[in-house]
Amino acid sequence: MEITKSNTKDVLDGNITQAQLNQWKHKHKKVIKLTIADDDETPLFAYFKVPDINIRSAVLQASKMDEFKALEVLFKNCYLGGDGKIEQEDDLRLNITTAFSDHIQPKPVKVEIL
């Protein structure tokens, strides 16, 4: 019987592997890592991809009826992985998705009329 030894160096924050992170980066070009503390002050990690125009449109449409649904649409379409507790607990998911939403808001643009 062959014994396989797991290499813990390949496991990153949020219990994802370096290979998984590399795959996400290759597929989505940019991966955003967010950290949140649970009630015990244990840090939890979540990884998101930047939403494309179709996802942004779906979030905007959902926000017209219910802002919480809009955050859920954003989470379901952009969340790549991380600590499972974030997916299971509504408060953690809501807080981390709100922070992600704030991060991806349009950046200020300087406009000059010449």
Side-chain angles (χ1 to χ4, degrees):
M1 177 164 87
E2 184 178 308
I3 298 175
T4 58
K5 190 176 180 183
S6 113
N7 187 354
T8 56
K9 290 181 182 178
D10 287 344
V11 178
L12 305 175
D13 294 336
N15 296 317
I16 67 160
T17 64
Q18 184 63 52
Q20 182 65 60
L21 180 59
N22 293 344
Q23 182 182 16
W24 290 338
K25 284 181 175 181
H26 178 74
K27 182 176 182 182
H28 303 295
K29 306 298 181 236
K30 187 186 246 187
V31 175
I32 299 168
K33 174 182 163 185
L34 288 91
T35 307
I36 189 169
D38 66 6
D39 293 338
D40 299 329
E41 297 301 319
T42 302
L44 302 172
F45 304 92
Y47 297 84
F48 290 85
K49 68 177 184 172
V50 176
D52 62 18
I53 195 72
N54 294 323
I55 294 171
R56 289 179 188 268
S57 176
V59 170
L60 181 61
Q61 288 301 315
S63 72
K64 292 178 182 178
M65 299 191 320
D66 184 339
E67 288 187 37
F68 287 114
K69 290 287 183 198
L71 289 172
E72 193 65 24
V73 169
L74 184 63
F75 183 84
K76 286 182 179 179
N77 285 283
C78 294
Y79 179 74
L80 298 172
D83 287 298
K85 195 171 184 181
I86 291 169
E87 292 178 86
Q88 298 164 359
E89 293 189 21
D90 291 341
D91 285 345
L92 291 172
R93 188 172 63 249
L94 175 64
N95 285 320
I96 209 154
T97 308
T98 300
F100 175 63
S101 175
D102 291 344
H103 173 74
I104 60 168
Q105 291 303 311
K107 306 297 182 235
V109 175
K110 183 177 179 181
V111 177
E112 292 182 57
I113 298 175
L114 304 175

